[in-house]
Amino acid sequence: MPLNFFRLFPALRMALVAFAAVLAASAALGQTTATTRFKPDQLAAGQTGQFFLELHGSSTSPHGTVPSIPGLKMQSGGYSKNTNINGNDGTVSTTLTYIFQVEADKPGQYTIPAFTLTVDGQTVNVPPATLDVTDQPVSSPAGTGDQPLSLTAKVTSTDVYVGEKFPIDIVLSGRDDIRLMGVSGFTQTGDAFEQVQAALREEPEHTTTQLADHAYDIYTWHTAITVLKSGPQTLRFSMPVTVMSMDDSFSPGDAFARMRAQMGFGQEQQLTEESTPLNFNVQPLPTDGRPANFTGGIGLFSIDEPTLSTTDLQAGVPVTLSLNITGEGNFDRLQAPVLDLGPLWRAYKPKETFQPSDPAGYHGVKTFEYVLMPMSEKVTELPPPQFNFFNPETKSYVDLTPKPLAVTVRPAPPGQAPPPLPAVTNNALAARAPTLVGPRTEPGSWVSPAPIFTSPYFLGAQAVPAVLLASFVITRRRRLRLETDPAYARQLRARRDALAAVEKARGAATAGQAAEFFAIAQRALQVAASYSTAWRNENSAEALTWEEFDAHLTARGSSAEIHAEARQIFEAGDALRFGGFTPDQASLEQAATRLDQLVRQLLHQA
C-alpha cells in the first residue's frame, strides 16, 4: 500500500535524470571500487540488521559471491542502482548497492573477510566488515529518534485477558536524511492474536516532529487486536519499506543535499523494518464474581433503556424489543444478553447489528432486536435483558441490567386464542373382533386340563393391557412435562440438536469446509454442555465462552482428556477465524470423529 508522500519539482526532476544518465555513461568507464558495512554494526542475539555491499563507478552486475560465515544468517534483500550529483563540482557517480538481511542467534564477533568480485572484466577487491553481537538488546542514547528509520508497535498495557480486544498503534518514523517512497503491507508474527491486516489498509495519520538537529515524518496506523490464547505471548510486526537516502556525508544543515534526495537523486533502497517484540502476559478471565449469564463482553460498555416497537401489546401478537450497547471493546465476541422470560412469554433468537466508529471495530454501537410474544393478558411486566461485561481496568465484572418494563397486554380477540403450546395426541386403541373357529375333525387324546391362569398365553394376554396402559401413562406424563417443564423440554432439544450438529459438522469436514466445521463443532459442544436439567437458561448455550464451558466440564466431573480435547476444538476454531490457521483434510476428518465421541460423552455424563 503506497503512502501519499509529496513529490517536488517533477519537471526539473525529469530533466536532471536525463542529464545524469548521459554523465553516468562516461563515469562508468572509470575504476570500480567497493565498500562494505553493517547497519547497525552492533546487534543483540536474535535481532535483525543489514549488510551493505556497494560498488562505486559501475552499473554492471558483478560475478562472485559473498563468503558465508558460520552462525550468521544472511538473506538477500535485493539491490538498487542510483546516480549521485556532487553539489560542489557537478560530477556524477553511479553506485550499485546490494542489501542483505543478517541475524545471529549467539553473541560474538562475526567478520566477513575480504574477497574479490569481477566487474566489467576487472577484479574488484571487497574490504572486510565486522558485526558485534551481544546478549543484551542494543539501545542508543538518543533512543528511537537516533535511528533514520524505525518501526514500533505501541500498546497501553501488556497485561491482557483472553478474548480481550485492545488498541495498538503501528508507528513508522523516518528521519529527514531519507525520503519515504512507500510501504507494501505488513507481516504479523504471533499466532495467539487475530490478524489486523484489514484495519492496517486504512491511510495512516501523518505528523512531523523535530528532535535535536533532525526532523522526522511519523506515520501511525491506529488499530486494535484480539488475543486468543492464555500464557506468555509475543507479538511483532515487519514492514517492507522503499526509501531514498542521502550520502553518508549529509549534515542536517545541508539544504541542497536534502533537496536532491526529495527530487529523487540519492540511494534508493528496499528495506524490511521490524518492530521490537511486545511480550504479553495473557490471563484467563477470573471465575470469581462471573455472572451466570456472562455475555462475553470485555471492555467498557454502556446501554440505553430497552425499547418496544409498540406499547399496544396483545396476547399472541409479536413485538420487537431493541437494546443498544455503546462503548469500546470486543464487540465481535459480545453475545446477546439473556432474557429470562418465564412461561408467559415466547422469545425467538435475537437479530444483531453493529455500527463501528473506527476501522478496527473497537468503538461502536451494537444493537440486539428480540422478537417476543406475550402469551396471556395476565402479563404485567417484561423482564429486562441481563447485560453484563468484564472491565479489564478494574479487573471486575459489571452488571448493567435495566429495570423490568411495565406493560399492559390486551386479551386476544374473541375466537382467536394465542398460539397453543405443543398439544398431546392420544392414539385410540382398536379392539380386535372375535372370530369363529370350525370344528376339529382329527381324533385327539384325553388330557387333564391345566388351570387357565398358568397358561403363558393367558398371562401374556393379561400383560398387554398393562403394558399399553403404562406406555400411555408414560407418554402422557412426558408430554405434560414437556408442556409444564421448560427445562426438561430444553434438555431433550439439546440432545437432539447436539447430535444433529455432529452429523452436520461431519458433512462439513468431508467437504473440506474447515470454517463451517469448527463453527458447528463449537456449537455442538456448547449445546451438549447444556444437556442438563440444572441448566436454566434457554439461550445461554450459544454464548458460552471457553472459560464458562471449561468450568461447566469441571462441575460435571469431566476428565482431563475431555477438557484438553474440547479446548483444542475451541482454540482451533478461533485460530482459523482470527489467526490464519488452515487444517488439512485428514485433520478435519479426525476432528469430526473425536467431536462425535466428545458430544456423546457429554450427553452420557448429564
Side-chain angles (χ1 to χ4, degrees):
M1 177 190 64
L3 298 178
N4 295 330
F5 298 114
F6 62 88
R7 297 177 179 271
L8 298 177
F9 310 113
L12 177 59
R13 179 177 182 272
M14 293 178 62
L16 289 176
V17 167
F19 174 70
V22 175
L23 294 179
S26 59
L29 299 177
Q31 180 67 35
T32 301
T33 60
T35 59
T36 57
R37 57 191 171 95
F38 285 100
K39 186 177 182 181
D41 58 6
Q42 188 178 30
L43 292 173
Q47 287 186 333
T48 303
Q50 294 174 318
F51 171 71
F52 293 88
L53 168 60
E54 297 170 328
L55 299 176
H56 307 281
S58 176
S59 59
T60 304
S61 298
H63 295 279
T65 58
V66 179
S68 60
I69 307 300
L72 182 65
K73 301 175 185 177
M74 296 187 66
Q75 182 178 359
S76 176
Y79 73 95
S80 64
K81 177 181 177 182
N82 57 82
T83 301
N84 292 323
I85 303 177
N86 191 305
N88 297 322
D89 56 15
T91 58
V92 179
S93 63
T94 302
T95 301
L96 280 176
T97 302
Y98 293 85
I99 308 168
F100 299 84
Q101 303 293 327
V102 297
E103 180 182 349
D105 294 332
K106 297 180 180 180
Q109 191 174 75
Y110 298 85
T111 300
I112 297 179
F115 61 99
T116 60
L117 296 173
T118 302
V119 181
D120 293 327
Q122 304 177 22
T123 299
V124 179
N125 295 316
V126 182
T130 299
L131 174 67
D132 289 326
V133 179
T134 66
D135 58 355
Q136 296 294 330
V138 180
S139 59
S140 61
T144 303
D146 191 48
Q147 301 296 326
L149 190 67
S150 66
L151 180 69
T152 57
K154 299 180 179 180
V155 294
T156 56
S157 175
T158 55
D159 290 324
V160 295
Y161 292 88
V162 173
E164 180 181 355
K165 191 170 190 174
F166 52 89
I168 183 170
D169 290 344
I170 314 299
V171 183
L172 177 65
S173 175
R175 208 166 60 187
D176 58 1
D177 53 350
I178 63 174
R179 181 189 178 198
L180 293 171
M181 305 293 291
V183 301
S184 53
F186 292 79
T187 300
Q188 175 181 320
T189 303
D191 62 357
F193 302 86
E194 73 168 344
Q195 297 291 328
V196 296
Q197 298 290 354
L200 293 178
R201 285 196 290 267
E202 298 294 324
E203 195 69 21
E205 174 189 340
H206 179 209
T207 60
T208 59
T209 188
Q210 184 75 29
L211 295 175
D213 295 329
H214 288 283
Y216 290 82
D217 284 304
I218 300 174
Y219 296 88
T220 304
W221 287 263
H222 301 289
T223 183
I225 194 170
T226 301
V227 62
L228 307 176
K229 297 180 182 179
S230 60
Q233 305 293 346
T234 300
L235 176 67
R236 69 188 305 170
F237 295 90
S238 60
M239 175 193 300
V241 184
T242 302
V243 301
M244 181 73 71
S245 64
M246 304 179 191
D247 51 63
D248 291 339
S249 62
F250 168 77
S251 63
D254 190 348
F256 183 73
R258 182 183 295 107
M259 181 179 294
R260 282 189 288 121
Q262 294 294 339
M263 293 170 59
F265 296 102
Q267 180 176 330
E268 184 172 315
Q269 303 176 25
Q270 291 185 351
L271 312 175
T272 299
E273 288 298 310
E274 293 192 354
S275 66
T276 302
L278 291 172
N279 297 313
F280 289 89
N281 175 31
V282 185
Q283 307 173 53
L285 289 178
T287 56
D288 292 343
R290 181 186 300 174
N293 297 321
F294 179 50
T295 63
I298 305 175
L300 186 60
F301 304 97
S302 62
I303 65 171
D304 298 335
E305 287 295 324
T307 59
L308 289 171
S309 58
T310 178
T311 57
D312 184 19
L313 274 64
Q314 183 176 357
V317 178
V319 63
T320 300
L321 176 71
S322 297
L323 178 68
N324 292 330
I325 299 176
T326 307
E328 57 185 40
N330 61 342
F331 280 103
D332 53 341
R333 294 189 164 216
L334 182 63
Q335 302 295 323
V338 170
L339 281 171
D340 189 4
L341 296 174
L344 296 182
W345 288 88
R346 179 171 294 171
Y348 302 89
K349 185 177 180 179
K351 172 186 176 182
E352 59 183 64
T353 56
F354 178 56
Q355 292 293 332
S357 55
D358 63 84
Y362 180 66
H363 301 86
V365 179
K366 195 165 191 177
T367 300
F368 295 97
E369 294 182 346
Y370 304 79
V371 177
L372 313 174
M373 184 186 298
M375 305 300 293
S376 168
E377 68 273 16
K378 297 179 181 179
V379 172
T380 59
E381 67 176 18
L382 172 61
Q386 300 176 16
F387 177 63
N388 50 69
F389 63 93
F390 180 76
N391 187 335
E393 294 183 1
T394 61
K395 298 179 173 55
S396 61
Y397 293 92
V398 179
D399 184 86
L400 293 182
T401 300
K403 297 179 180 179
L405 293 175
V407 296
T408 301
V409 180
R410 294 184 290 108
Q416 177 182 338
L421 294 173
V424 177
T425 302
N426 295 322
N427 295 322
L429 301 177
R432 180 175 297 176
T435 58
L436 295 177
V437 180
R440 182 171 181 172
T441 59
E442 295 83 9
S445 59
W446 291 98
V447 294
S448 300
I452 191 171
F453 57 82
T454 64
S455 170
Y457 299 102
F458 175 81
L459 296 177
Q462 301 306 309
V464 168
V467 171
L468 293 177
L469 179 61
S471 175
F472 173 79
V473 171
I474 292 173
T475 302
R476 176 64 176 170
R477 290 184 61 184
R478 181 176 182 274
R479 292 185 181 277
L480 289 174
R481 188 177 180 186
L482 286 173
E483 295 179 8
T484 59
D485 189 348
Y488 177 69
R490 181 206 48 73
Q491 184 187 21
L492 295 184
R493 288 197 304 270
R495 179 182 180 85
R496 179 195 62 203
D497 293 347
L499 294 176
V502 169
E503 292 305 314
K504 190 174 180 181
R506 190 184 298 277
T510 303
Q513 299 169 338
E516 183 175 356
F517 167 78
F518 282 107
I520 299 172
Q522 289 187 12
R523 164 67 179 161
L525 292 175
Q526 290 168 329
V527 174
S530 69
Y531 178 66
S532 170
T533 55
W535 197 272
R536 299 299 182 188
N537 192 335
E538 180 73 21
N539 299 321
S540 62
E542 297 181 21
L544 281 175
T545 63
W546 162 250
E547 289 74 18
E548 293 170 324
F549 183 83
D550 188 57
H552 190 65
L553 293 184
T554 301
R556 297 171 67 167
S558 299
S559 66
E561 181 183 4
I562 292 179
H563 282 256
E565 294 188 354
R567 182 179 188 124
Q568 287 180 2
I569 291 179
F570 269 78
E571 291 189 345
D574 286 343
L576 179 68
R577 181 182 176 189
F578 302 113
F581 164 67
T582 305
D584 55 25
Q585 183 65 33
S587 299
L588 280 179
E589 293 176 356
Q590 291 175 1
T593 300
R594 189 56 190 138
L595 173 66
D596 187 12
Q597 298 172 352
L598 282 173
V599 167
R600 294 183 185 279
Q601 286 175 324
L602 290 173
L603 295 176
H604 179 72
Q605 287 180 349

